């Protein structure tokens, strides 16, 4: 029996999502067939809507439905800027209690194997902000992976000339871990154990 083309297309779409293997994607596609028509329409509308209404904040790169994101618009102090690789990492910090951080999302990590280079990261915006916004400390919060470390070290060199304290998350977090999977206690420990990369203060 030939595979049903539309079902195969839907399976392939689900398979593109992280953590969804081919078997799961097939089950999901078949489950869609059993949903009521209204639910399928709502599902398809939600997919389109999320893509058209959410964009990157022009200041920090975080996802937002507004012109500028909620955190950039907030009254949080311009004291500590946490530099992360991906928007999802911001959500990990925001799960902690009473955080008053501002963030900058690089949009990736340097990776020779994936061909991600310096010009692919949101670095010009970062340096514009550092000039304008007067932060006292930058916390480099890339994941503890080889690519995360490479990116943090590259940034540490660039930031060396600026009169700002530069720290890296202490770990607590195991090598290869993902920030967005870290629980609040581990992340709090990593924050309080952060190391000063300039070593002259
Ligand atoms: Zn923002």
């Amino acid at each position: 029996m030939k595979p049903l083309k539309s079902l195969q297309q839907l399976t392939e779409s689900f398979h593109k999502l992280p953590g969804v293997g081919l078997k799961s994607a097939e089950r999901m596609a078949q489950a869609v067939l059993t949903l009521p028509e209204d639910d399928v329409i709502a599902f398809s509308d939600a997919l389109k809507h999320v893509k058209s209404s959410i964009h990157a904040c022009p200041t920090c790169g975080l996802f937002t439905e507004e012109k500028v994101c909620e955190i950039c618009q907030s009254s949080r102090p311009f004291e500590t800027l946490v530099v992360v690789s991906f928007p999802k990492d911001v959500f990990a910090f925001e799960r902690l209690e009473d955080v008053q951080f501002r963030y900058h999302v690089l949009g990736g990590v340097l990776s020779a194997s994936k061909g991600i280079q310096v010009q692919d990261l949101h670095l010009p915006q970062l340096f514009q902000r550092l000039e304008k916004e007067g932060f006292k400390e930058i916390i480099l919060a890339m994941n503890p992976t080889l690519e995360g470390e490479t990116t943090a070290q590259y940034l540490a060199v660039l930031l060396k000339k600026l009169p700002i304290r530069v720290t890296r998350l202490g770990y607590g977090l195991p090598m290869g871990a993902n920030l967005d999977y870290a629980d609040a206690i581990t992340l709090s420990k990593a924050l309080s154990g952060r190391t000063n990369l300039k070593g002259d203060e």
Side-chain angles (χ1 to χ4, degrees), residues 86-161:
F86 305 103
K88 62 186 177 180
D89 301 329
V90 171
F91 304 133
F93 285 99
E94 288 294 297
R95 285 199 291 268
L96 303 178
E97 276 173 36
D98 299 329
V99 282
Q100 287 294 313
F101 298 141
R102 286 176 181 267
Y103 303 94
H104 193 84
V105 180
L106 293 175
V109 278
L110 297 174
S111 167
S113 62
K114 292 182 194 128
I116 301 171
Q117 300 175 331
V118 172
Q119 61 267 28
D120 299 317
L121 304 181
H122 299 148
L123 287 177
Q125 296 92 326
L126 172 64
F127 285 93
Q128 277 167 21
R129 291 184 73 187
L130 293 179
E131 243 174 58
K132 271 199 309 204
E133 297 181 12
F135 290 100
K136 296 192 175 65
E137 178 178 353
I138 298 174
I139 302 177
L140 299 176
M142 285 86 234
N143 285 334
T145 58
L146 183 63
E147 292 167 344
E149 285 301 326
T150 309
T151 310
Q153 278 167 20
Y154 176 80
L155 276 178
V157 172
L158 291 183
L159 295 167
K160 213 168 173 106
K161 309 165 222 143

Side-chain angles (χ1 to χ4, degrees), residues 160-188:
K160 213 168 173 106
K161 309 165 222 143
L162 301 179
I164 304 175
R165 182 177 152 89
V166 180
T167 57
R168 174 95 173 99
L169 280 190
Y171 295 104
L173 297 169
M175 191 70 188
N178 265 318
L179 278 186
D180 56 326
Y181 292 140
D183 62 82
I185 295 171
T186 309
L187 193 54
S188 295

Side-chain angles (χ1 to χ4, degrees), residues 57 59-62 68-69 72:
C57 169
T59 305
C60 72
L62 188 60
V68 174
C69 81
C72 285

